[in-house]
Amino acid sequence: MRAVSWVVVAALAWMGGAGTAAPSAVAAGAGGAGASGAAATVDAAAETDYAVIGDRVAPSAQAGGYKRFTAGPVAGSPTTLVDSAARTVTVTVADQTLDSTGTMTMAWPARIGSWSLGISQTEPEQLVKLTRDGKECTFTAGTLTVHRAEATSTGQVAALTADVTGSCQVYGGGYYASAQVRIGDPDPNRVLATPRAEPARFSSGALAGTVVTHEITLSNSGTKPWTVGAAGTASTNSWSPRFTVVPEANACTGRTLRTGETCTLAVSATAPTWWVNEHLLVGGDAEQTLVVPISLEGYAPVLPPTAVTAAPGRLSATVSWQPSGTSTVTGYRVYDVTGGGRTLLTTTAPSVTSVLVPGTGPRTLAVVAINGRYAESPDVTVDVPSVASEVVGNDWYGDAVAVQTTDAGTSPASPLPPRKLGLERVDLDPSRTRWVTAARGDVSVCPVATEQCVTVPGIAGTGDADTTREAVWLPDGRIAFLRGWSEELRSLWVVDVDGSGLRKVANLPRRAQLAATAGNGEVVVHSMEGFGRLERVALADGRITPVPGTEWIDDFTVTTQGLLVVESRDDKSVTHGPRTTTLMNLDGSGARRLALPVGDNRQATFNHTGTRVAFARYTSDWEATLWTAAADGSGAEQLSSSTLGWIDLKWSVGDRLAPTTSVTVGSHTSRNATLAIGAADGDDFVGSLRRQCRVDAGAWTACGPTVALTGLAAGTHTVSAQVTDASGKQSAVVTKSWVVDAAAPTATLNAPALVQTATPMTLSWVAADSGGSGLANYDVRTRTAAPSSGFGAYQYPTSWQKLTVRTLPLTLSKGYQYCFSVRARDRAGNLGGWSAERCTSMPLDDGNLSASTGWTRGKHTNYLFSTYSTTVRSGAQLTRTGVSARRLALVATTCPTCGTVDVYHAGVKVGRVSLYSSTTKVRQVIWLPLQTRTRYGTVAVRSVSTKRIYVDGLGIVH
């Protein structure tokens, strides 16, 4: 699949049946009329892959039947997917600007030439299909011209240059479209113009009789100039369009827009009392007609609501009103009109006269009947106190209570009294916008601002085993909860907010309390068996892992950073009294005591940044005050003097910190690369962070901590990464470039002597890398043959792998032959092939040969292995049994007075060797003739004169 091409896919346009003809402006513009543009300037963009799949409105289009899926043209970075079984290729592009996806499918491999399109045709090239946001359209008429089509060795797209123009049927309506695909084609004559509009679609509303005028900016995002043609409007629900192009505001028709240039025009209409759905059509010399959907909601006049009031709540305001004498059609809208703006907050049914509106701070609100947008109520103001940070807990009676802190998490100068939430045993979701509670027998999700809970479907049961006990949010937005009123029936479950994905993880008898970890793979529970301990439960398979050092634990929480906060009584024989609070890792390591003031401190819970800890200081079994302290437990101060049975403390703090991301990849890689995408956030669980990546000019896609890429082209590539947290805060985009080295390195062994006459020996080699990343290390292998047998399998000694030097000292065994090969690895990870073998033999020492009468053994460092055997007796023999060889070599001393020997193998005389030389030379290798086959048997070296013979060793070659 290609991920580096650029494509533009325009919206699908419908051409229907009956209806009046389009205005003359439409006919002139849509047909592409207009002066031809200046010659295109070829720039870097023309050297990249590019495509346009766009709208095309015929001059004879009947505007009354003109309908669309969405705005166009679509622009973005495509991928190409080849279906080898269907013999097709699909070009796909996701346009983030329009939030739309389009595809074009055609035959692959494609044949060069022009093809008449039609569903009745039989040639694969005559079937072309477009899809837009799931709506499919196959051409029924038109022409496909393929200029260039090349496939890679694996059948994927290497180059594709094609043009298609025609029409097709969708739901009985005609759709006129064209496409121009330029992939792997730097031809400057094939640059394209791409018309765009901002906004890509326009929707408004107005009281009947009101004139609505809107300005639209046109631009050219292609590489070829676009000469703008006529502009007009077409209607989809009336005989003639209500919108018209304002002539004096049209600065576009006749103008040539080069890449990136813009111009503006305006459309205007008088609002009726119904919906108007129309399109602005702009022609020109581009292959596409620019189409901009425009809609207008006309309202009949009604009287505004009266007696509007707004009462502040905890994090929201209650807006109430009296309906007017004229009834609305579908209900009311509440707007935030602070500072002259207009933001829709909520919509209600006609019977509703009061609604809860979330939000804090001073605001100005207005209530409007839906069919009277500009005949609204008088403005009302309300000031809802903002809450930057709260500590929320339950009292012993089951009610959740909130106490406000400062931004720093400390006690405010003028502490506010605790405020009830109307909920019980709550946990805050990763986005900080929703509670979850399971204290009433089911699992409910409740917006923090309104506390209007919605039960998660599919969970409620009828028996003791089905009763929910408590629920917590997982970092990825799922919910984990415990079931079973009886301890013996306790079980762990997970579910999505909408009730899907409900799954039982494990039976957990005699377990209580539940906390999510920083990732999405585990939760922590409290076992009540024995002395009690904490356990980690894997959500994938229910596997339980005890946490060391957590016996006798009374309570625990888990921080956003994934640390355990545990508390235990100093005196285990009493139920109250001083307690110790400890911070540790999830595996029990790194335990450190928090310096909280001495006392009965319970429910220690860290805020999201891990910088403050809240805890309850108990004075009796049922009474406690609320405190906060620094992360190490120091500087404790009282947050609330209200005495309650504080339990299950939680921090409710807005998300303040944006995440950060990092990209790790080597400076060079092979065609297959693994990238590490880091994600961190100072006040969010790492498991709640969503990574997005894109490679080169490809589309942004979701990615994980590692990204594996395959089949990369040689050259420079760039990866971009961005992280979004659960509340929508995003990191900066981080980019990293690297070079793909697609060439494997080579290595060649330097030839060693065929027979070694010294020990140890050193193997050496040369290597080269043409890909650019440089040589990293080398592997060496060997196969060996013993004196009595042939070669065995290759051996790869560990110490011979990934060598960083080009030499290898070796101590060879006597009588063995060795064949070596080497391969190189570059810094990109490319591994070259094994080199040609180079072989050598270490001779048997003369001491390894049996001597007959007449031989004398001697020692001297001049000789191989510092030994030699000598004789002056004719017929004296040195022998070695069980030798397998095809060729033998005698290692001996030559001299002016040295004699001659005969060499026999398996009873066959191999040859006679004269040891004469004009000067004395030691460690001389004298080869016997190569045999026609490998022989096995005794080797005998026999003196044939009374002259002195010095034998040093016997070389064996297989």
Side-chain angles (χ1 to χ4, degrees), residues 435-462:
W435 301 114
V436 65
T437 178
R440 295 171 181 160
D442 54 24
V443 176
S444 296
V445 175
C446 319
V448 170
T450 65
E451 300 171 19
Q452 295 178 335
C453 302
V454 176
T455 300
V456 176
I459 293 177
T462 57

Side-chain angles (χ1 to χ4, degrees), residues 15 22 104 143 162 174 201 207 252 316 401 420 438 463 490 513 579 581 597 617 623 894 920:
M15 297 304 299
M104 183 187 74
T143 302
R201 57 178 65 84
L207 195 65
C252 294
S316 57
V401 181
K420 281 192 175 183
R490 206 65 50 82
Q513 295 181 266
R579 301 183 186 228
T581 302
R617 286 182 60 78
E623 294 184 345
T894 61
T920 300

Side-chain angles (χ1 to χ4, degrees), residues 494-545:
V494 293
V495 68
D496 292 322
V497 175
D498 61 2
S500 63
L502 179 64
R503 179 174 61 87
K504 183 179 180 179
V505 176
N507 290 320
L508 296 178
R510 296 188 57 76
R511 267 77 169 187
Q513 295 181 266
L514 187 62
T517 59
N520 292 300
E522 292 181 323
V523 294
V524 181
V525 297
H526 194 180
S527 172
M528 294 175 284
E529 296 179 344
F531 299 117
R533 66 182 179 191
L534 299 185
E535 297 171 333
R536 293 153 48 196
V537 183
L539 296 177
D541 55 13
R543 177 174 46 88
I544 296 176
T545 303

Side-chain angles (χ1 to χ4, degrees), residues 181-204:
V181 179
R182 307 287 185 261
I183 296 175
D185 188 352
D187 188 341
N189 296 319
R190 293 176 177 152
V191 295
L192 309 172
T194 307
R196 305 285 290 189
E198 176 63 36
R201 57 178 65 84
F202 167 64
S203 182
S204 180

Side-chain angles (χ1 to χ4, degrees), residues 678-733:
D681 194 311
D683 64 351
D684 280 294
F685 288 112
V686 67
S688 68
L689 304 179
R690 303 187 304 276
R691 298 169 175 86
Q692 277 194 312
C693 304
R694 74 170 181 177
V695 179
D696 298 329
W700 286 95
T701 57
C703 57
T706 59
V707 175
L709 304 175
T710 59
L712 293 167
T716 300
H717 293 272
T718 300
V719 63
S720 301
Q722 187 173 42
V723 171
T724 304
D725 66 20
S727 69
K729 287 184 168 57
Q730 291 187 310
S731 71
V733 175

